[in-house]
Amino acid sequence: MLKVGLTGGIGSGKSAVANRLTALGAVLVDSDRIAREVVAPGSEGLAEIVATFSERVLDPHGALDRAALGALVFGDEAARRKLEAITHPRVRARAAELTAAAAPDAVVVNDVPLLVEVGLAPTYHLVVVVQAAVATRLARLARDRGMDRAEAERRIAAQADDARRQAAADVLLTNDGTLDELHAAVDALWRDRLLPYERNVRERRPVRPERVVLTEPDPTWPQQYARLAARIRHAAGADLRVDHIGSTAVPGLAAKDVIDIQLTVSSLAEADGPLAERLADAGFPRLLGDWWDNPRPAGSARWEKRLHGSADPARPVNLHLRVAGSPGWRYALLMRDHLRADPAQRAAYLEVKRELAATAPDSATYGTLKDPWFDEEHLRAEEWAIQTGWRP
């Protein structure tokens, strides 16, 4: 199944997005609803809260008095952490139960207000953030919830700011317009990305652009890499090294809009083991067949590796699994760092890329025709490494 994290600040319209996705066929797991369920009268969660904070947090009917509890924990970091230690594991466990009960081909949307704050982004295939201007949110909170301005501003300030949410967002839905405009954006997301993404994950099908199209440098490439790397680390379940490599890792360099990532493994046997399936489950299926890098200098044995891609139709990825310390592993890091450090070679490489993209637009031919330039660049990079004392 496809697991989508949905979040947004109070008053942003997150619930409207959740409702629309549900109407389109998504399975909704609502963290706010679960949070109320796990502290309902008679629950173990409520009993532990009372044991921790006393019966002052109960109303006359024995239910949780949220205002009284809020007064105790707001502004008290230690008290807040005690409360989170009681509620968060229960919410996560219940959310996992609901997710596991969904159909194998479901798109499961987890509506999590504090997704960014508690660091859950890497656990989802995709994170959708709903965003609106503060003025818009304040007006909605006054209109829809009768909240006075001071309270609304306090609630907004207590949550993650827009910059933190944007950094976590694979999809940013701006909701300063009409409900019809929001619905149109959600419908397009469902049709063009979520449904094909779910199918690709289920069928273990990576996205592979067939033609080479160079795009101008995108300042968000490093941020996109950071989100992908966090998912890969979470899926790997081990302290494995992950690096941003290739042209999108070199600032100012035009490139194919494909993020190249290197995952360091101890052996190809490790790459062929359970790790391959964990990566596929996380949205990075393996490409079938034999994969290797051409050796530098030419003539030696080919540099074997494993290659995974991305199941996300809107974010192609080349995920190279190379053995720590191997020639191909070292070369990928050396080339990146040399091009970062040498503007002249960066410009020369860009000229080669533009020429080949125009004359050999299919991916296989484009990669092969770059080999002569890389053979020469390898020598220059090795000289630079000696001069600078570079280490991978």
Side-chain angles (χ1 to χ4, degrees):
M1 63 184 69
L2 189 74
K3 293 180 285 187
V4 178
L6 172 65
T7 194
I10 185 171
S12 64
K14 175 176 59 64
S15 295
V17 172
N19 291 338
R20 186 64 174 185
L21 287 170
T22 303
L24 291 168
V27 174
L28 181 64
V29 177
D30 186 334
S31 290
D32 271 348
R33 184 177 301 168
I34 296 172
R36 292 190 294 271
E37 175 186 314
V38 300
V39 296
S43 67
E44 292 181 358
L46 181 58
E48 190 171 347
I49 287 175
V50 172
T52 302
F53 296 101
S54 83
E55 294 189 355
R56 291 179 297 165
V57 298
L58 295 178
D59 67 16
H61 304 288
L64 182 64
D65 186 332
R66 294 182 177 276
L69 179 60
L72 289 176
V73 303
F74 184 76
D76 185 335
E77 180 74 10
R80 182 177 63 82
R81 291 192 179 279
K82 288 180 181 179
L83 176 62
E84 290 174 349
I86 297 169
T87 59
H88 286 183
R90 289 178 167 85
V91 171
R92 286 195 293 268
R94 180 58 179 153
E97 288 178 3
L98 294 172
T99 299
D105 62 349
V107 175
V108 179
V109 175
N110 291 261
D111 182 343
V112 187
L114 299 181
L115 183 152
V116 174
E117 288 86 340
V118 298
L120 291 176
T123 67
Y124 302 107
H125 291 100
L126 202 73
V127 171
V128 178
V129 172
V130 188
Q131 181 172 292
V134 171
T136 303
R137 295 164 65 188
L138 290 171
R140 286 176 181 156
L141 292 172
R143 181 194 66 203
D144 300 335
R145 306 193 193 186
M147 198 177 292
D148 65 57
R149 185 179 183 89
E151 175 64 9
E153 289 177 341
R154 185 183 71 81
R155 294 283 191 93
I156 290 173
Q159 295 181 330
D161 60 22
D162 287 346
R164 284 185 64 194
R165 288 200 193 90
Q166 288 175 13
D170 300 291
V171 177
L172 189 63
L173 295 175
T174 301
N175 183 29
D176 289 302
T178 66
L179 186 60
D180 285 344
E181 289 171 335
L182 180 65
H183 283 175
V186 175
D187 292 354
L189 171 65
W190 177 262
R191 178 187 65 244
D192 300 334
R193 192 165 187 179
L194 299 186
L195 288 181
Y197 195 174
E198 182 283 319
R199 185 169 57 251
N200 289 344
V201 169
R202 177 163 36 89
E203 297 178 356
R204 301 299 197 242
R205 181 166 53 197
V207 175
R208 297 287 290 172
E210 295 181 357
R211 296 181 64 81
V212 175
V213 178
L214 293 185
T215 64
E216 292 306 305
D218 184 342
T220 72
W221 278 334
Q223 199 172 70
Q224 292 183 55
Y225 156 75
R227 290 195 295 270
L228 294 163
R231 288 193 181 99
I232 291 166
R233 291 189 187 97
H234 180 77
D239 188 20
L240 299 181
R241 176 172 172 172
V242 183
D243 289 282
H244 190 188
I245 59 170
S247 294
T248 62
V250 180
L253 186 61
K256 295 180 293 182
D257 190 18
V258 179
I259 305 293
D260 279 276
I261 300 173
Q262 179 167 275
L263 176 61
T264 301
V265 293
S266 61
S267 67
L268 291 181
E270 180 185 16
D272 293 337
L275 175 60
E277 194 65 16
R278 291 199 300 268
L279 291 171
D281 286 341
F284 302 97
R286 180 170 169 175
L287 275 72
L288 299 178
D290 296 327
W291 294 90
W292 63 88
D293 301 307
N294 290 332
R296 319 284 177 188
S300 56
R302 64 190 188 186
W303 297 343
E304 289 190 56
K305 65 179 178 181
R306 300 294 182 260
L307 186 63
H308 290 238
S310 169
D312 182 355
R315 175 28 65 214
V317 169
N318 291 325
L319 176 57
H320 310 260
L321 277 65
R322 297 188 176 103
V323 176
S326 65
W329 174 88
R330 181 182 183 278
Y331 179 75
L333 299 171
L334 173 59
M335 293 301 301
R336 177 200 66 188
D337 291 350
H338 183 230
L339 289 175
R340 284 176 173 176
D342 191 327
Q345 292 309 315
R346 193 162 61 240
Y349 181 39
L350 177 58
E351 184 176 347
V352 170
K353 284 158 64 80
R354 291 196 189 282
E355 179 180 345
L356 292 181
T359 58
D362 64 286
S363 293
T365 305
Y366 172 82
T368 301
L369 291 179
K370 287 194 296 182
D371 278 345
W373 188 87
F374 275 118
D375 287 337
E376 295 181 3
E377 168 60 10
H378 172 253
L379 300 177
R380 291 187 292 264
E382 289 292 357
E383 290 180 3
W384 171 81
I386 293 171
Q387 293 168 359
T388 62
W390 176 87
R391 293 291 183 272

